[in-house]
Amino acid sequence: MAVATPAPATVPVVGRSREVELLVAALEAGAHVVLEGPPGTGKTTLLRAVADEARLSFVFVEGNAELTPARLVGHFDPAQVLERGYTPDTFVDGSLAEALRSGALLYVEEINRIPEETLNVLITVMSEGELHVPRLGRIVAAEGFRLVAAMNPFDAVGTARISAAVYDRVCRIAMGYQSASDEAAVVALRGPDVDEQWRAKVVSLVRRTREHPDVHVGSSVRGAIDVVRITAALAARRCCGITDWRTGLDAALVSLSGRIRLTESGSRTAEDVVRELYRAEFGEEPAPDDDGDPGEQGGGAPGGA
């Protein structure tokens, strides 16, 4: 059974004052909203922060092909039905029914991944403000109920085009990538304490993946967070500095090669692209005896790339 609970405390929203203002205004006006943008642009973080600040109940739904109308709305418990029949007490609320009854925010993640028949249920609720369940009757939306959906417009795998009927019933807030300084602030919040200039170069590396001609979809700021975290962990294991060239490259390969999506016409591998961008940002690998400290420069670090 889905239970609406106050949103937990979240990482502060960085550099999204305009989007916060727009979302709060739309919800106060009684509108349903779709947050549209690539992965890692803080869609979920933004909504959780707004819900937490306003002390709004929050029901989370993961959008995928398995989200049938019955899973979203709820169902009658078969064992209870046999004993007591189709009564309100034998109905188990799904996420939508719970949000409607409690006047909560219903957050549907990846709305473009859910089946059309499930999407039609949401369209009806947004239009009528109520839900009709066979053998149960009407569930009328309590004051405060809002639907907020999120979607990645660049993801074509396992997704469907959102119909005009959905867009006609929601307000759309586009969320692009943040500025370099904002992304560096996000990494500072979520990653270990490291040299500020080195962290800025990691963020710049990740931002380069979004502009490379062989890359169709680049990495989000999550890639930069992982580069910093993994570099710090590797540096501790290898007994070298966090700015060690080879250690940073290994961390970048692990963190970014699976996040970037190459163009279909290209013949290069993701690892090739990450190596190229890493060298463009951090320079060529220093010689082992540079500055007389092979541990700091990468000559003494184990592992190759």
Side-chain angles (χ1 to χ4, degrees), residues 142-158:
E143 181 67 27
F145 169 78
R146 302 287 186 274
L147 170 69
V148 180
M151 61 178 286
N152 168 19
F154 303 108
D155 193 352
V157 180

Side-chain angles (χ1 to χ4, degrees), residues 20-260:
V20 168
E21 182 183 40
L22 293 175
L23 178 58
V24 170
L27 294 176
E28 287 179 346
H32 304 293
V33 180
V34 61
L35 303 175
E36 189 172 313
T41 48
K43 298 183 290 294
T44 303
T45 300
L46 173 67
L47 180 58
R48 286 190 181 278
V50 169
D52 187 48
E53 180 69 22
R55 299 185 180 277
L56 299 174
S57 295
F58 185 97
V59 177
F60 177 84
V61 176
E62 182 180 352
N64 55 54
E66 309 303 317
L67 185 63
T68 63
R71 289 186 175 183
L72 179 66
V73 174
H75 64 278
F76 284 97
D77 184 289
Q80 294 293 321
V81 167
L82 287 174
E83 180 181 342
R84 299 153 60 187
Y86 290 98
T87 66
D89 291 341
T90 62
F91 186 79
V92 180
D93 284 353
S95 301
L96 176 57
E98 178 63 27
L100 285 168
R101 294 186 197 274
S102 61
L105 289 180
L106 177 69
Y107 179 54
V108 182
E109 192 173 53
E110 304 292 352
I111 191 173
N112 52 334
R113 290 183 175 274
I114 68 177
E116 184 177 1
E117 59 179 347
T118 307
L119 198 57
N120 289 336
V121 173
L122 294 175
I123 290 174
T124 300
V125 170
M126 286 189 287
S127 298
E128 308 299 332
E130 63 181 38
L131 175 67
H132 178 76
V133 181
R135 294 178 171 152
L136 178 67
R138 290 194 312 156
I139 301 177
V140 180
E143 181 67 27
F145 169 78
R146 302 287 186 274
L147 170 69
V148 180
M151 61 178 286
N152 168 19
F154 303 108
D155 193 352
V157 180
T159 64
R161 275 188 80 175
I162 295 299
S163 68
V166 174
Y167 278 119
D168 188 51
R169 290 164 173 79
V170 298
C171 293
R172 174 179 172 270
I173 299 177
M175 296 182 63
Y177 289 114
Q178 294 160 280
S179 66
S181 59
D182 285 343
E183 290 195 341
V186 171
V187 177
L189 280 171
R190 301 194 178 189
D193 185 19
V194 297
D195 178 77
E196 183 178 349
Q197 291 185 338
W198 179 81
R199 181 173 57 228
K201 291 176 75 67
V202 170
V203 171
S204 179
L205 165 65
V206 169
R207 293 174 68 84
R208 285 174 182 265
T209 67
R210 304 168 197 164
E211 303 170 354
H212 195 282
D214 291 333
V215 178
H216 176 59
V217 179
S219 172
S220 72
V221 71
R222 294 190 187 109
I225 295 169
D226 278 352
V227 171
V228 171
R229 287 174 173 173
I230 294 174
T231 302
L234 278 175
R237 293 182 63 84
R238 295 176 177 181
C239 300
C240 64
I242 196 168
T243 58
D244 175 68
W245 192 93
R246 175 67 55 168
T247 299
L249 175 59
D250 286 343
L253 288 168
V254 170
S255 304
L256 304 180
S257 60
R259 281 187 163 96
I260 64 175

